[in-house]
mmCIF file of all heavy atoms in Angstrom:
data_model
loop_
_atom_site.group_PDB
_atom_site.id
_atom_site.type_symbol
_atom_site.label_atom_id
_atom_site.label_comp_id
_atom_site.label_asym_id
_atom_site.label_seq_id
_atom_site.Cartn_x
_atom_site.Cartn_y
_atom_site.Cartn_z
ATOM 1 N N SER A 1 158.954 149.563 -56.766
ATOM 2 C CA SER A 1 158.813 150.024 -58.120
ATOM 3 C C SER A 1 157.879 149.089 -58.898
ATOM 4 O O SER A 1 156.998 149.585 -59.691
ATOM 5 C CB SER A 1 160.187 150.137 -58.840
ATOM 6 O OG SER A 1 161.007 150.938 -58.062
ATOM 7 N N ARG A 2 158.090 147.777 -58.743
ATOM 8 C CA ARG A 2 157.295 146.797 -59.512
ATOM 9 C C ARG A 2 155.771 146.881 -59.070
ATOM 10 O O ARG A 2 154.928 146.905 -59.941
ATOM 11 C CB ARG A 2 157.848 145.423 -59.279
ATOM 12 C CG ARG A 2 157.317 144.381 -60.201
ATOM 13 C CD ARG A 2 158.021 144.372 -61.556
ATOM 14 N NE ARG A 2 159.423 143.870 -61.446
ATOM 15 C CZ ARG A 2 160.308 143.889 -62.398
ATOM 16 N NH1 ARG A 2 159.940 144.388 -63.592
ATOM 17 N NH2 ARG A 2 161.509 143.421 -62.275
ATOM 18 N N GLN A 3 155.595 146.907 -57.796
ATOM 19 C CA GLN A 3 154.212 147.011 -57.312
ATOM 20 C C GLN A 3 153.506 148.320 -57.664
ATOM 21 O O GLN A 3 152.335 148.358 -57.996
ATOM 22 C CB GLN A 3 154.196 146.803 -55.769
ATOM 23 C CG GLN A 3 154.586 145.429 -55.319
ATOM 24 C CD GLN A 3 154.667 145.286 -53.803
ATOM 25 O OE1 GLN A 3 154.843 146.263 -53.082
ATOM 26 N NE2 GLN A 3 154.589 144.071 -53.308
ATOM 27 N N PHE A 4 154.304 149.390 -57.546
ATOM 28 C CA PHE A 4 153.773 150.715 -57.923
ATOM 29 C C PHE A 4 153.347 150.724 -59.406
ATOM 30 O O PHE A 4 152.256 151.191 -59.758
ATOM 31 C CB PHE A 4 154.897 151.764 -57.726
ATOM 32 C CG PHE A 4 154.374 153.200 -57.560
ATOM 33 C CD1 PHE A 4 155.287 154.226 -57.238
ATOM 34 C CD2 PHE A 4 153.020 153.501 -57.763
ATOM 35 C CE1 PHE A 4 154.840 155.480 -57.050
ATOM 36 C CE2 PHE A 4 152.555 154.794 -57.574
ATOM 37 C CZ PHE A 4 153.464 155.785 -57.234
ATOM 38 N N ALA A 5 154.167 150.151 -60.288
ATOM 39 C CA ALA A 5 153.881 150.034 -61.696
ATOM 40 C C ALA A 5 152.573 149.266 -61.945
ATOM 41 O O ALA A 5 151.752 149.635 -62.777
ATOM 42 C CB ALA A 5 155.069 149.401 -62.512
ATOM 43 N N THR A 6 152.470 148.157 -61.218
ATOM 44 C CA THR A 6 151.242 147.288 -61.369
ATOM 45 C C THR A 6 150.016 148.031 -60.993
ATOM 46 O O THR A 6 148.937 147.939 -61.677
ATOM 47 C CB THR A 6 151.410 146.052 -60.543
ATOM 48 O OG1 THR A 6 152.650 145.334 -60.910
ATOM 49 C CG2 THR A 6 150.231 145.075 -60.696
ATOM 50 N N MET A 7 150.097 148.761 -59.881
ATOM 51 C CA MET A 7 148.933 149.546 -59.440
ATOM 52 C C MET A 7 148.479 150.651 -60.370
ATOM 53 O O MET A 7 147.328 150.857 -60.636
ATOM 54 C CB MET A 7 149.157 150.123 -58.019
ATOM 55 C CG MET A 7 149.308 149.031 -56.926
ATOM 56 S SD MET A 7 149.680 149.792 -55.299
ATOM 57 C CE MET A 7 150.090 148.334 -54.407
ATOM 58 N N ILE A 8 149.533 151.365 -60.861
ATOM 59 C CA ILE A 8 149.212 152.443 -61.872
ATOM 60 C C ILE A 8 148.674 151.864 -63.112
ATOM 61 O O ILE A 8 147.689 152.453 -63.698
ATOM 62 C CB ILE A 8 150.536 153.251 -62.152
ATOM 63 C CG1 ILE A 8 151.092 153.980 -60.936
ATOM 64 C CG2 ILE A 8 150.259 154.263 -63.277
ATOM 65 C CD1 ILE A 8 150.176 154.968 -60.353
ATOM 66 N N GLU A 9 149.167 150.726 -63.560
ATOM 67 C CA GLU A 9 148.626 150.116 -64.755
ATOM 68 C C GLU A 9 147.246 149.602 -64.555
ATOM 69 O O GLU A 9 146.403 149.595 -65.524
ATOM 70 C CB GLU A 9 149.529 148.862 -65.108
ATOM 71 C CG GLU A 9 149.167 148.255 -66.439
ATOM 72 C CD GLU A 9 150.071 147.027 -66.775
ATOM 73 O OE1 GLU A 9 150.909 146.660 -65.909
ATOM 74 O OE2 GLU A 9 149.944 146.506 -67.879
ATOM 75 N N ALA A 10 146.921 149.173 -63.306
ATOM 76 C CA ALA A 10 145.515 148.735 -62.999
ATOM 77 C C ALA A 10 144.548 149.912 -62.876
ATOM 78 O O ALA A 10 143.354 149.667 -62.778
ATOM 79 C CB ALA A 10 145.535 147.981 -61.676
ATOM 80 N N GLY A 11 144.975 151.106 -62.950
ATOM 81 C CA GLY A 11 144.108 152.291 -62.920
ATOM 82 C C GLY A 11 144.035 153.044 -61.642
ATOM 83 O O GLY A 11 143.270 154.019 -61.560
ATOM 84 N N LEU A 12 144.828 152.668 -60.656
ATOM 85 C CA LEU A 12 144.802 153.468 -59.400
ATOM 86 C C LEU A 12 145.540 154.739 -59.587
ATOM 87 O O LEU A 12 146.472 154.823 -60.388
ATOM 88 C CB LEU A 12 145.498 152.687 -58.267
ATOM 89 C CG LEU A 12 144.666 151.696 -57.454
ATOM 90 C CD1 LEU A 12 144.215 150.516 -58.286
ATOM 91 C CD2 LEU A 12 145.379 151.251 -56.227
ATOM 92 N N ASN A 13 145.125 155.774 -58.867
ATOM 93 C CA ASN A 13 145.875 157.030 -58.933
ATOM 94 C C ASN A 13 147.096 156.937 -58.041
ATOM 95 O O ASN A 13 147.267 156.041 -57.230
ATOM 96 C CB ASN A 13 145.011 158.225 -58.566
ATOM 97 C CG ASN A 13 144.468 158.159 -57.184
ATOM 98 O OD1 ASN A 13 145.155 157.895 -56.232
ATOM 99 N ND2 ASN A 13 143.138 158.364 -57.021
ATOM 100 N N VAL A 14 147.999 157.922 -58.177
ATOM 101 C CA VAL A 14 149.257 157.894 -57.485
ATOM 102 C C VAL A 14 149.110 157.868 -55.958
ATOM 103 O O VAL A 14 149.779 157.076 -55.285
ATOM 104 C CB VAL A 14 150.169 159.060 -57.871
ATOM 105 C CG1 VAL A 14 151.461 159.123 -57.034
ATOM 106 C CG2 VAL A 14 150.531 158.978 -59.385
ATOM 107 N N VAL A 15 148.214 158.679 -55.416
ATOM 108 C CA VAL A 15 148.017 158.811 -53.989
ATOM 109 C C VAL A 15 147.475 157.450 -53.430
ATOM 110 O O VAL A 15 148.001 156.970 -52.418
ATOM 111 C CB VAL A 15 147.055 159.949 -53.660
ATOM 112 C CG1 VAL A 15 146.746 159.946 -52.146
ATOM 113 C CG2 VAL A 15 147.643 161.294 -54.031
ATOM 114 N N SER A 16 146.520 156.921 -54.119
ATOM 115 C CA SER A 16 145.936 155.630 -53.615
ATOM 116 C C SER A 16 147.001 154.498 -53.634
ATOM 117 O O SER A 16 147.104 153.682 -52.697
ATOM 118 C CB SER A 16 144.774 155.172 -54.520
ATOM 119 O OG SER A 16 143.767 156.175 -54.485
ATOM 120 N N ALA A 17 147.790 154.499 -54.683
ATOM 121 C CA ALA A 17 148.886 153.511 -54.758
ATOM 122 C C ALA A 17 149.893 153.660 -53.660
ATOM 123 O O ALA A 17 150.339 152.727 -53.052
ATOM 124 C CB ALA A 17 149.583 153.553 -56.140
ATOM 125 N N LEU A 18 150.261 154.932 -53.341
ATOM 126 C CA LEU A 18 151.200 155.202 -52.297
ATOM 127 C C LEU A 18 150.664 154.828 -50.955
ATOM 128 O O LEU A 18 151.438 154.341 -50.049
ATOM 129 C CB LEU A 18 151.594 156.675 -52.297
ATOM 130 C CG LEU A 18 152.541 157.137 -53.497
ATOM 131 C CD1 LEU A 18 152.664 158.642 -53.496
ATOM 132 C CD2 LEU A 18 153.827 156.465 -53.420
ATOM 133 N N VAL A 19 149.358 155.003 -50.736
ATOM 134 C CA VAL A 19 148.757 154.621 -49.436
ATOM 135 C C VAL A 19 148.861 153.101 -49.246
ATOM 136 O O VAL A 19 149.243 152.666 -48.149
ATOM 137 C CB VAL A 19 147.243 154.964 -49.365
ATOM 138 C CG1 VAL A 19 146.565 154.333 -48.213
ATOM 139 C CG2 VAL A 19 147.088 156.486 -49.341
ATOM 140 N N ILE A 20 148.638 152.317 -50.291
ATOM 141 C CA ILE A 20 148.703 150.842 -50.192
ATOM 142 C C ILE A 20 150.163 150.473 -49.969
ATOM 143 O O ILE A 20 150.468 149.564 -49.161
ATOM 144 C CB ILE A 20 148.157 150.224 -51.431
ATOM 145 C CG1 ILE A 20 146.692 150.547 -51.577
ATOM 146 C CG2 ILE A 20 148.395 148.710 -51.408
ATOM 147 C CD1 ILE A 20 146.045 150.118 -52.888
ATOM 148 N N LEU A 21 151.078 151.038 -50.748
ATOM 149 C CA LEU A 21 152.493 150.696 -50.597
ATOM 150 C C LEU A 21 153.057 151.062 -49.265
ATOM 151 O O LEU A 21 153.944 150.385 -48.677
ATOM 152 C CB LEU A 21 153.303 151.437 -51.700
ATOM 153 C CG LEU A 21 153.087 150.966 -53.115
ATOM 154 C CD1 LEU A 21 153.673 151.899 -54.151
ATOM 155 C CD2 LEU A 21 153.693 149.559 -53.307
ATOM 156 N N GLU A 22 152.603 152.172 -48.694
ATOM 157 C CA GLU A 22 153.064 152.590 -47.377
ATOM 158 C C GLU A 22 152.686 151.541 -46.296
ATOM 159 O O GLU A 22 153.465 151.318 -45.341
ATOM 160 C CB GLU A 22 152.436 153.970 -47.001
ATOM 161 C CG GLU A 22 152.851 154.498 -45.662
ATOM 162 C CD GLU A 22 152.095 155.770 -45.305
ATOM 163 O OE1 GLU A 22 151.389 156.326 -46.178
ATOM 164 O OE2 GLU A 22 152.164 156.177 -44.101
ATOM 165 N N GLU A 23 151.518 150.943 -46.456
ATOM 166 C CA GLU A 23 151.055 149.941 -45.441
ATOM 167 C C GLU A 23 151.712 148.604 -45.596
ATOM 168 O O GLU A 23 151.924 147.946 -44.587
ATOM 169 C CB GLU A 23 149.500 149.799 -45.604
ATOM 170 C CG GLU A 23 148.743 151.067 -45.250
ATOM 171 C CD GLU A 23 147.241 150.928 -45.533
ATOM 172 O OE1 GLU A 23 146.882 149.902 -46.195
ATOM 173 O OE2 GLU A 23 146.464 151.824 -45.188
ATOM 174 N N GLN A 24 152.099 148.225 -46.804
ATOM 175 C CA GLN A 24 152.599 146.881 -46.968
ATOM 176 C C GLN A 24 154.118 146.711 -47.101
ATOM 177 O O GLN A 24 154.625 145.596 -47.016
ATOM 178 C CB GLN A 24 151.916 146.243 -48.234
ATOM 179 C CG GLN A 24 152.409 146.890 -49.564
ATOM 180 C CD GLN A 24 151.652 146.230 -50.743
ATOM 181 O OE1 GLN A 24 150.579 145.767 -50.628
ATOM 182 N NE2 GLN A 24 152.319 146.266 -51.888
ATOM 183 N N THR A 25 154.817 147.815 -47.146
ATOM 184 C CA THR A 25 156.292 147.671 -47.222
ATOM 185 C C THR A 25 156.866 147.288 -45.882
ATOM 186 O O THR A 25 156.419 147.769 -44.862
ATOM 187 C CB THR A 25 156.940 148.947 -47.748
ATOM 188 O OG1 THR A 25 158.324 148.802 -47.814
ATOM 189 C CG2 THR A 25 156.649 150.125 -46.778
ATOM 190 N N ASP A 26 157.859 146.369 -45.923
ATOM 191 C CA ASP A 26 158.517 145.928 -44.657
ATOM 192 C C ASP A 26 159.715 146.747 -44.316
ATOM 193 O O ASP A 26 160.194 146.642 -43.206
ATOM 194 C CB ASP A 26 158.904 144.461 -44.839
ATOM 195 C CG ASP A 26 157.722 143.519 -45.008
ATOM 196 O OD1 ASP A 26 156.695 143.834 -44.409
ATOM 197 O OD2 ASP A 26 157.831 142.533 -45.750
#
């Protein structure tokens, strides 16, 4: 949630943020 919020605040769209989060979550 915290990383998602940071990415949305930085201007990324939802799909792009989810792609990054999918790759980096453990």
Side-chain angles (χ1 to χ4, degrees):
S1 305
R2 193 81 72 187
Q3 292 176 339
F4 202 173
T6 303
M7 292 178 191
I8 297 296
E9 187 181 7
L12 272 71
N13 61 47
V14 172
V15 174
S16 300
L18 288 172
V19 169
I20 297 171
L21 289 167
E22 180 185 350
E23 293 174 352
Q24 68 182 27
T25 182
D26 296 327

